[in-house]
Amino acid sequence: SALLDAGYYVNASVKSTNTAYFSFNYPASPSGHAFGVNLLSGMGMSMNAVFPKSVDLDGVPIYFLTRMAMGCKSATEIKNLILSVRSAYGGSLNIGSAKDGVVNIEFGPTSSGSSTKNLIVTSPPVNGSAIFHMNEYLYLHGVPFDLDPSSEHRLKAAKRINVEHPVSASDSSSLLYVLSDRSDRDYPLWRNTSGLGDSSTAATALFEFMKSGMKSGRVLLTVFEKGNPMMKSTKKVVFEL
């Protein structure tokens, strides 16, 4: 519960590095660890923590990498960034924009003494459909990782809901319907430390990428704070970025 009360926003603009971004931050961690928007390109990004079994002690810490990613203007730039350095750990980044659609990048720790990078980029979902990602590797094979029962339950629930109530990119309520679900009592999608898990959902973020009109290239970021996004009592903040 302390995390729910201590999350905060950062609106940064650094002329010397030509960097500008808006982000939601957890306490004591840099931007890029949670979710945010690059203000120069309209690229949105969120992170799923994953748990590789190994750590490359000579690599760049994961939260430094995700902070650097917030300064990138596209998924291609982020991919090239990760490939250009030695990564200490692994991560999963969801990246979207009006121009390029939505992709997921999974990467792992760089093997000690090797220049080979473990990284994969998914293709964007087609015809307004959806892809789901929790806190386990889905696409990158060959990286040993710790299993996470909560992720497996939540992914199964999201896929089931998508069959019963198909998600549409043009219908934000269909996305929130998934993110608010609590049908799995042990490991619900929206979490508040009930069931078998000990985690809480600090905030729910909805990105809307503008494709046409005067606001083309802009991002409408809606954040539901400290509550289930489908409940009227939950605080909702809208940022036009």
Side-chain angles (χ1 to χ4, degrees):
S1 60
L3 175 62
L4 301 182
D5 296 327
Y8 60 97
Y9 298 100
V10 171
N11 188 354
S13 179
V14 185
K15 290 184 178 181
S16 60
T17 58
N18 191 31
T19 302
Y21 60 83
F22 180 88
S23 65
F24 176 85
N25 286 36
Y26 298 124
S29 65
S31 298
H33 178 195
F35 57 85
V37 174
N38 182 297
L39 299 176
L40 300 181
S41 69
M43 180 199 75
M45 186 183 87
S46 67
M47 178 190 178
N48 304 113
V50 290
F51 311 106
K53 289 183 177 292
S54 65
V55 177
D56 186 337
L57 297 179
D58 293 321
V60 178
I62 178 65
Y63 293 155
F64 288 7
L65 271 180
T66 53
R67 163 58 188 86
M68 293 164 69
M70 281 301 309
C72 295
K73 298 180 178 64
S74 67
T76 299
E77 282 193 23
I78 293 176
K79 174 187 174 181
N80 292 337
L81 164 68
I82 298 171
L83 288 172
S84 70
V85 300
R86 190 166 180 147
S87 174
Y89 203 51
S92 166
L93 301 178
N94 308 297
I95 304 157
S97 68
K99 178 182 177 182
D100 300 324
V102 178
V103 298
N104 175 267
I105 296 180
E106 289 184 345
F107 59 97
T110 304
S111 300
S112 180
S114 170
S115 61
T116 302
K117 171 62 64 176
N118 295 314
L119 179 146
I120 189 169
V121 182
T122 66
S123 299
V126 296
N127 300 324
S129 61
I131 57 175
F132 302 101
H133 203 296
M134 307 303 169
N135 301 107
E136 286 188 349
Y137 283 106
L138 296 179
Y139 313 110
L140 184 61
H141 303 295
V143 178
F145 63 93
D146 292 327
L147 299 178
D148 181 51
S150 173
S151 290
E152 294 167 6
H153 279 244
R154 287 181 285 126
L155 182 60
K156 182 179 179 180
K159 290 181 175 180
R160 173 183 54 77
I161 295 168
N162 191 37
V163 172
E164 298 171 354
H165 305 277
V167 170
S168 170
S170 60
D171 180 10
S172 60
S173 65
S174 69
L175 300 168
L176 296 176
Y177 189 80
V178 175
L179 295 171
S180 65
D181 183 70
R182 292 185 49 77
S183 59
D184 188 321
R185 294 186 178 182
D186 291 336
Y187 299 106
L189 278 152
W190 184 82
R191 299 181 282 180
N192 63 351
T193 69
S194 63
L196 300 180
D198 60 355
S199 298
S200 294
T201 302
T204 300
L206 176 67
F207 297 82
E208 296 178 77
F209 302 107
M210 309 298 183
K211 282 190 172 183
S212 59
M214 294 183 64
K215 296 181 180 180
S216 178
R218 304 289 293 275
V219 182
L220 197 66
L221 175 64
T222 304
V223 183
F224 301 84
E225 300 178 350
K226 303 181 185 180
N228 192 300
M230 292 296 280
M231 295 186 65
K232 293 182 178 180
S233 58
T234 298
K235 180 181 178 181
K236 180 174 73 172
V237 186
V238 181
F239 302 96
E240 188 174 312
L241 304 170

